[in-house]
Amino acid sequence: DSGVTQTPKHLITATGQRVTLRCSPRSGDLSVYWYQQSLDQGLQFLIQYYNGEERAKGNILERFSAQQFPDLHSELNLSSLELGDSALYFCASSLTGGPYEQYFGPGTRLTVT
Amino acid sequence: GIQVEQSPPDLILQEGANSTLRCNFSDSVNNLQWFHQNPWGQLINLFYIPSGTKQNGRLSATTVATERYSLLYISSSQTTDSGVYFCAVEVGDSSYKLIFGSGTRLLVRP
């Protein structure tokens, strides 16, 4: 158990819908990262938050957004869902925004039908 | 951007055999991590090893940063070692994001 929690574990929804994925980092970690794992793109970085502020963006679609709350949990919002958004979404956390070891949550498996 | 290449892409072993997985990267890195993704999809931290050698039970890893590669050694493999092994690097831009290789898929047969 990494100490990073993600909910829900599985999500099945229809095209055009909007979903919210939730992540709680390890106790004491200030930085949260979101990654997407799809069959064709592999594991890719989406976005990073550090202590409530956005730190960096990767290959994140405009239909996707995220935030980190004062209690340091984070939410990833996916809207206008398409079939191609079906993937495993991971949250990771690290102690600071620097080059510390990242620990991954169990992931949320999203299926868009 | 940096390229991370893992080899071999697939590996089949008999239980008890040893193996070496390789990760090559095309530029200097600040951080390198090895992960095991089990059949249930969980990413399990194996090593945080930007340089040097570390050992944890039957697993060990070596990173030679100056030559831009890392090796993961699995000894006396067990069926529970099956899954996908990923190497991921962090290149030192402001984001500290991890860039993943495409993985080595390992199957250990009883």
Side-chain angles (χ1 to χ4, degrees):
Chain A
D1 185 352
S2 67
V4 179
T5 61
Q6 288 187 249
T7 57
K9 288 184 179 170
H10 302 277
L11 200 49
I12 302 174
T13 189
T15 54
Q17 296 298 304
R18 172 188 168 95
V19 297
T20 297
L21 313 184
R22 182 187 169 102
C23 167
S24 292
R26 293 187 320 153
S27 177
D29 283 359
L30 299 178
S31 197
V32 168
Y33 305 77
W34 286 96
Y35 294 86
Q36 179 194 57
Q37 185 178 30
S38 61
L39 284 176
D40 55 344
Q41 298 288 335
L43 266 156
Q44 291 201 317
F45 167 74
L46 294 178
I47 196 164
Q48 179 200 1
Y49 279 82
Y50 174 68
N51 204 19
E53 295 192 1
E54 182 183 303
R55 173 66 68 91
K57 272 186 173 180
N59 297 323
I60 187 166
L61 299 172
E62 286 192 9
R63 300 183 285 108
F64 296 0
S65 65
Q67 53 185 330
Q68 186 178 28
F69 294 88
D71 67 352
L72 301 178
H73 91 271
S74 178
E75 292 181 356
L76 179 66
N77 301 296
L78 316 177
S79 62
S80 303
L81 285 167
E82 302 175 359
L83 296 178
D85 298 327
S86 295
L88 192 50
Y89 291 85
F90 287 104
C91 165
S93 74
S94 67
L95 184 60
T96 73
Y100 280 86
E101 187 169 4
Q102 292 184 29
Y103 293 86
F104 281 70
T108 293
R109 188 172 297 278
L110 173 66
T111 303
V112 183
T113 63
Chain B
I2 191 169
Q3 302 297 313
V4 182
E5 296 182 354
Q6 292 187 243
S7 60
D10 296 280
L11 187 58
I12 301 174
L13 298 176
Q14 208 63 31
E15 199 169 26
N18 303 327
S19 62
T20 301
L21 282 56
R22 187 175 180 103
C23 173
N24 291 334
F25 40 96
S26 60
D27 205 346
S28 301
V29 299
N30 276 358
N31 169 21
L32 187 144
Q33 291 187 237
W34 282 97
F35 297 91
H36 174 216
Q37 188 167 36
N38 65 22
W40 295 270
Q42 288 183 301
L43 277 171
I44 299 163
N45 287 45
L46 297 179
F47 294 101
Y48 172 81
I49 186 165
S51 63
T53 297
K54 290 186 177 180
Q55 180 155 8
N56 184 3
R58 296 180 296 104
L59 272 60
S60 64
T62 295
T63 296
V64 184
T66 53
E67 297 187 19
R68 299 180 184 169
Y69 73 89
S70 184
L71 302 173
L72 177 68
Y73 306 95
I74 304 174
S75 65
S76 304
S77 58
Q78 300 176 357
T79 56
T80 52
D81 295 331
S82 296
V84 183
Y85 290 80
F86 289 101
C87 133
V89 302
E90 185 272 305
V91 300
D93 61 15
S94 60
S95 75
Y96 304 104
K97 63 181 180 287
L98 289 176
I99 298 168
F100 284 80
S102 54
T104 291
R105 185 175 301 274
L106 174 64
L107 175 63
V108 181
R109 290 184 168 152

